[in-house]
PDB file of all heavy atoms in Angstrom:
ATOM      1  N   ASP A1418      19.838 -35.391  17.166  1.00  0.00           N
ATOM      2  CA  ASP A1418      18.581 -36.036  17.299  1.00  0.00           C
ATOM      3  C   ASP A1418      17.466 -34.957  17.171  1.00  0.00           C
ATOM      4  O   ASP A1418      17.773 -33.785  17.150  1.00  0.00           O
ATOM      5  CB  ASP A1418      18.329 -36.810  18.570  1.00  0.00           C
ATOM      6  CG  ASP A1418      18.667 -35.949  19.781  1.00  0.00           C
ATOM      7  OD1 ASP A1418      18.824 -34.700  19.615  1.00  0.00           O
ATOM      8  OD2 ASP A1418      18.675 -36.499  20.837  1.00  0.00           O
ATOM      9  N   LEU A1419      16.225 -35.422  16.992  1.00  0.00           N
ATOM     10  CA  LEU A1419      15.107 -34.470  16.821  1.00  0.00           C
ATOM     11  C   LEU A1419      13.888 -35.105  17.468  1.00  0.00           C
ATOM     12  O   LEU A1419      13.432 -36.239  17.017  1.00  0.00           O
ATOM     13  CB  LEU A1419      14.870 -34.288  15.291  1.00  0.00           C
ATOM     14  CG  LEU A1419      13.770 -33.293  14.998  1.00  0.00           C
ATOM     15  CD1 LEU A1419      14.156 -31.870  15.417  1.00  0.00           C
ATOM     16  CD2 LEU A1419      13.338 -33.401  13.512  1.00  0.00           C
ATOM     17  N   PRO A1420      13.282 -34.498  18.442  1.00  0.00           N
ATOM     18  CA  PRO A1420      12.171 -35.050  19.137  1.00  0.00           C
ATOM     19  C   PRO A1420      10.971 -35.290  18.259  1.00  0.00           C
ATOM     20  O   PRO A1420      10.725 -34.489  17.335  1.00  0.00           O
ATOM     21  CB  PRO A1420      11.771 -33.905  20.196  1.00  0.00           C
ATOM     22  CG  PRO A1420      13.042 -33.120  20.376  1.00  0.00           C
ATOM     23  CD  PRO A1420      13.716 -33.199  18.988  1.00  0.00           C
ATOM     24  N   ASP A1421      10.207 -36.359  18.539  1.00  0.00           N
ATOM     25  CA  ASP A1421       8.984 -36.810  17.774  1.00  0.00           C
ATOM     26  C   ASP A1421       7.954 -35.709  17.713  1.00  0.00           C
ATOM     27  O   ASP A1421       7.208 -35.596  16.783  1.00  0.00           O
ATOM     28  CB  ASP A1421       8.335 -37.949  18.470  1.00  0.00           C
ATOM     29  CG  ASP A1421       9.036 -39.244  18.136  1.00  0.00           C
ATOM     30  OD1 ASP A1421      10.010 -39.221  17.367  1.00  0.00           O
ATOM     31  OD2 ASP A1421       8.569 -40.299  18.588  1.00  0.00           O
ATOM     32  N   HIS A1422       7.894 -34.831  18.764  1.00  0.00           N
ATOM     33  CA  HIS A1422       6.689 -33.928  18.852  1.00  0.00           C
ATOM     34  C   HIS A1422       6.654 -32.969  17.656  1.00  0.00           C
ATOM     35  O   HIS A1422       5.576 -32.561  17.344  1.00  0.00           O
ATOM     36  CB  HIS A1422       6.718 -33.216  20.159  1.00  0.00           C
ATOM     37  CG  HIS A1422       7.833 -32.235  20.427  1.00  0.00           C
ATOM     38  ND1 HIS A1422       7.835 -31.009  19.908  1.00  0.00           N
ATOM     39  CD2 HIS A1422       9.002 -32.489  21.172  1.00  0.00           C
ATOM     40  CE1 HIS A1422       9.006 -30.473  20.305  1.00  0.00           C
ATOM     41  NE2 HIS A1422       9.650 -31.326  21.122  1.00  0.00           N
ATOM     42  N   TYR A1423       7.780 -32.755  17.045  1.00  0.00           N
ATOM     43  CA  TYR A1423       7.811 -31.858  15.795  1.00  0.00           C
ATOM     44  C   TYR A1423       6.936 -32.538  14.696  1.00  0.00           C
ATOM     45  O   TYR A1423       6.441 -31.825  13.786  1.00  0.00           O
ATOM     46  CB  TYR A1423       9.178 -31.535  15.355  1.00  0.00           C
ATOM     47  CG  TYR A1423       9.945 -30.572  16.303  1.00  0.00           C
ATOM     48  CD1 TYR A1423      10.956 -31.015  16.996  1.00  0.00           C
ATOM     49  CD2 TYR A1423       9.461 -29.255  16.457  1.00  0.00           C
ATOM     50  CE1 TYR A1423      11.656 -30.182  17.886  1.00  0.00           C
ATOM     51  CE2 TYR A1423      10.023 -28.438  17.321  1.00  0.00           C
ATOM     52  CZ  TYR A1423      11.168 -28.844  18.035  1.00  0.00           C
ATOM     53  OH  TYR A1423      11.802 -28.000  18.927  1.00  0.00           O
ATOM     54  N   GLU A1424       6.805 -33.838  14.708  1.00  0.00           N
ATOM     55  CA  GLU A1424       6.105 -34.579  13.651  1.00  0.00           C
ATOM     56  C   GLU A1424       4.616 -34.330  13.746  1.00  0.00           C
ATOM     57  O   GLU A1424       3.950 -34.592  12.753  1.00  0.00           O
ATOM     58  CB  GLU A1424       6.486 -36.062  13.668  1.00  0.00           C
ATOM     59  CG  GLU A1424       7.900 -36.276  13.306  1.00  0.00           C
ATOM     60  CD  GLU A1424       8.305 -37.781  13.413  1.00  0.00           C
ATOM     61  OE1 GLU A1424       7.712 -38.641  12.832  1.00  0.00           O
ATOM     62  OE2 GLU A1424       9.275 -38.032  14.217  1.00  0.00           O
ATOM     63  N   VAL A1425       4.154 -33.870  14.909  1.00  0.00           N
ATOM     64  CA  VAL A1425       2.722 -33.458  14.911  1.00  0.00           C
ATOM     65  C   VAL A1425       2.606 -31.960  14.845  1.00  0.00           C
ATOM     66  O   VAL A1425       1.709 -31.366  14.203  1.00  0.00           O
ATOM     67  CB  VAL A1425       1.966 -34.035  16.137  1.00  0.00           C
ATOM     68  CG1 VAL A1425       2.702 -33.648  17.390  1.00  0.00           C
ATOM     69  CG2 VAL A1425       0.578 -33.574  16.198  1.00  0.00           C
ATOM     70  N   GLU A1426       3.670 -31.193  15.403  1.00  0.00           N
ATOM     71  CA  GLU A1426       3.483 -29.764  15.431  1.00  0.00           C
ATOM     72  C   GLU A1426       3.625 -29.129  14.005  1.00  0.00           C
ATOM     73  O   GLU A1426       2.908 -28.197  13.704  1.00  0.00           O
ATOM     74  CB  GLU A1426       4.541 -29.186  16.357  1.00  0.00           C
ATOM     75  CG  GLU A1426       4.202 -29.362  17.847  1.00  0.00           C
ATOM     76  CD  GLU A1426       5.270 -29.098  18.792  1.00  0.00           C
ATOM     77  OE1 GLU A1426       6.368 -28.609  18.340  1.00  0.00           O
ATOM     78  OE2 GLU A1426       5.176 -29.711  19.909  1.00  0.00           O
ATOM     79  N   LEU A1427       4.559 -29.719  13.164  1.00  0.00           N
ATOM     80  CA  LEU A1427       4.701 -29.119  11.874  1.00  0.00           C
ATOM     81  C   LEU A1427       3.498 -29.161  10.989  1.00  0.00           C
ATOM     82  O   LEU A1427       3.012 -28.201  10.432  1.00  0.00           O
ATOM     83  CB  LEU A1427       6.008 -29.610  11.228  1.00  0.00           C
ATOM     84  CG  LEU A1427       7.123 -28.549  11.546  1.00  0.00           C
ATOM     85  CD1 LEU A1427       7.584 -28.655  12.927  1.00  0.00           C
ATOM     86  CD2 LEU A1427       8.215 -28.708  10.521  1.00  0.00           C
ATOM     87  N   PRO A1428       2.849 -30.347  10.885  1.00  0.00           N
ATOM     88  CA  PRO A1428       1.597 -30.362  10.077  1.00  0.00           C
ATOM     89  C   PRO A1428       0.528 -29.482  10.675  1.00  0.00           C
ATOM     90  O   PRO A1428      -0.228 -28.909   9.917  1.00  0.00           O
ATOM     91  CB  PRO A1428       1.222 -31.882  10.171  1.00  0.00           C
ATOM     92  CG  PRO A1428       2.149 -32.582  11.036  1.00  0.00           C
ATOM     93  CD  PRO A1428       3.344 -31.745  11.230  1.00  0.00           C
ATOM     94  N   LEU A1429       0.521 -29.345  11.953  1.00  0.00           N
ATOM     95  CA  LEU A1429      -0.468 -28.464  12.583  1.00  0.00           C
ATOM     96  C   LEU A1429      -0.229 -27.005  12.323  1.00  0.00           C
ATOM     97  O   LEU A1429      -1.161 -26.212  12.103  1.00  0.00           O
ATOM     98  CB  LEU A1429      -0.575 -28.672  14.041  1.00  0.00           C
ATOM     99  CG  LEU A1429      -1.261 -30.015  14.508  1.00  0.00           C
ATOM    100  CD1 LEU A1429      -1.299 -30.094  16.035  1.00  0.00           C
ATOM    101  CD2 LEU A1429      -2.711 -30.039  13.932  1.00  0.00           C
TER     102      LEU A1429
END
Side-chain angles (χ1 to χ4, degrees):
Chain A
D1418 54 9
L1419 183 71
D1421 281 1
H1422 62 81
Y1423 289 113
E1424 291 173 59
V1425 57
E1426 283 161 20
L1427 265 71
L1429 286 180

